[in-house]
Amino acid sequence: MKAPTSGEPALRPADADRITEPIHVSGPDGPWHRVRAGMELRGNAVVHTTWGEWLGAAVTDPALRPLLGRDWQRYRRTADPLVRFRFVTSRMVTKFTAAAALGTEPAELDLAYRIGGRPYLRGLDQIDVSLTHTDDLIAVGVSRNGRIGVDAEPADRTMSFDLMQSHICTAAERAELERLPERRRPAGLLRLWTLKEAYTKALGQGLRLGFSEFGFGAEGGGLLAPDGRPASRGEWAFATHRVLDRYLISVACHDAGLDTSRDTSARTMLDEGFLGAVADLLPTFDAPAG
């Protein structure tokens, strides 16, 4: 693992080994094989890109309507061109990423949304999806092990330690940040913010869960109680990466104890679920004679 540069968040090796390092995809051509490799090796993958890298495909792809599916009308109703293109790009990246993870075509996936806007793949609940964007960056995480949450922020975003620490930090985190040189505190606070956003997104809670109710260590991503004691038994893994030299991406992955060697092709997963549901619905009786 590369040693972090000055001001770059450190990663705990155990967590870094459990989360696939973010993959830069420069457009519809990928490299999507790295997403599939991450799913096979660790059961998760995270991609990042900029909406400008997908703009050409968004405006020229003749198959855009079937690709967007139920999002087509929302795309057409969005009047602001910038908002419209960012919207379509984020949906394209999400579908292409999920398709690479599942070994299928993007247009075959039905992207839907839970209350609060969290995306999911209709009929494929075995795969969890997280989407985030900031400025021109788009990041998508997928996992077959359990829940996944992804958050991103500009690495140079300034957060006032004095103003924000009581809203973001536990007492243990405040004590650790106060031991840092003053110039390093904003970067440390920003790292904590993205980790907490990623974790609450994975839980489906967003900002409804108070950020001072859980914490992380200064040198690693382990989940901690407000007093600084470990708050999980290793089922959660966390990592923070600097990408494109100007953004931080934090990832929270939950391991629900699923078999990560399992085939995750869309056909296999859909067929198993569909056949299981049909079997549960069929009544048990003897066929009439004749």
Side-chain angles (χ1 to χ4, degrees):
M1 180 177 65
K2 178 178 70 69
T5 58
S6 177
E8 185 174 344
L11 302 179
R12 191 177 71 181
D15 279 356
D17 288 344
R18 293 165 58 189
I19 298 177
T20 302
E21 186 172 348
I23 302 158
H24 180 213
V25 293
S26 56
D29 291 333
W32 300 113
H33 69 279
R34 293 183 58 192
V35 173
R36 188 64 181 172
M39 293 294 291
E40 292 175 352
L41 182 62
R42 298 182 178 90
N44 60 70
V46 178
V47 307
H48 65 89
T49 188
T50 60
W51 72 272
E53 293 176 281
W54 289 67
L55 183 58
V59 299
T60 62
D61 191 343
L64 185 60
R65 182 167 185 169
L67 176 63
L68 287 181
R70 65 181 65 246
D71 281 326
W72 173 255
Q73 293 303 325
R74 179 177 172 183
Y75 165 69
R76 294 290 294 171
R77 289 195 304 266
T78 304
D80 187 311
L82 184 59
V83 176
R84 183 167 66 247
F85 288 132
R86 285 181 173 176
F87 171 79
V88 69
T89 299
S90 67
R91 272 55 187 178
M92 290 177 71
V93 176
T94 301
K95 281 201 170 184
F96 271 81
T97 303
L102 291 164
T104 188
E105 294 299 319
E108 294 181 4
L109 300 177
D110 186 5
L111 192 64
Y113 306 92
R114 305 189 191 282
I115 296 174
R118 179 180 175 86
Y120 71 96
L121 300 173
R122 191 182 298 272
L124 292 168
D125 289 340
Q126 299 94 327
I127 291 289
D128 199 42
V129 179
S130 182
L131 166 67
T132 189
H133 49 82
T134 182
D135 290 351
D136 66 339
L137 183 82
I138 297 169
V140 175
V142 290
S143 175
R144 70 180 180 202
N145 298 334
R147 303 299 295 272
I148 187 169
V150 181
D151 188 63
E153 290 287 348
D156 61 356
R157 177 181 174 185
T158 300
M159 301 188 76
S160 170
F161 177 73
D162 292 335
L163 292 176
M164 300 297 294
Q165 46 117 349
S166 62
H167 301 287
I168 297 176
C169 301
T170 64
E173 288 172 328
R174 289 198 298 271
E176 285 198 353
L177 289 174
E178 286 171 351
R179 287 193 288 268
L180 294 176
E182 188 172 350
R183 61 181 176 81
R184 293 180 55 193
R185 291 175 189 171
L189 194 63
L190 182 62
R191 169 186 163 274
L192 289 176
W193 174 267
T194 59
L195 282 169
K196 294 189 178 197
E197 282 272 16
Y199 177 58
T200 56
K201 286 180 179 179
L203 294 176
Q205 294 296 312
L207 295 175
R208 293 187 296 274
L209 181 61
F211 279 11
S212 61
E213 297 175 11
F214 61 97
F216 297 94
E219 298 301 325
L223 187 65
L224 304 176
D227 61 3
R229 291 179 300 173
S232 74
R233 296 182 296 274
E235 67 271 23
W236 284 96
F238 303 90
T240 301
H241 295 269
R242 191 181 183 106
V243 301
L244 302 180
D245 292 327
R246 61 185 190 275
Y247 293 104
L248 291 186
I249 293 179
S250 282
V251 186
C253 278
H254 181 253
D255 187 347
L258 303 177
D259 180 6
T260 58
S261 65
R262 177 179 175 178
D263 182 5
T264 55
S265 68
R267 175 178 175 82
T268 301
M269 297 178 75
L270 183 58
D271 286 352
E272 288 179 357
F274 177 74
L275 291 176
V278 170
D280 290 341
L281 291 173
L282 289 175
T284 302
F285 58 88
D286 293 329

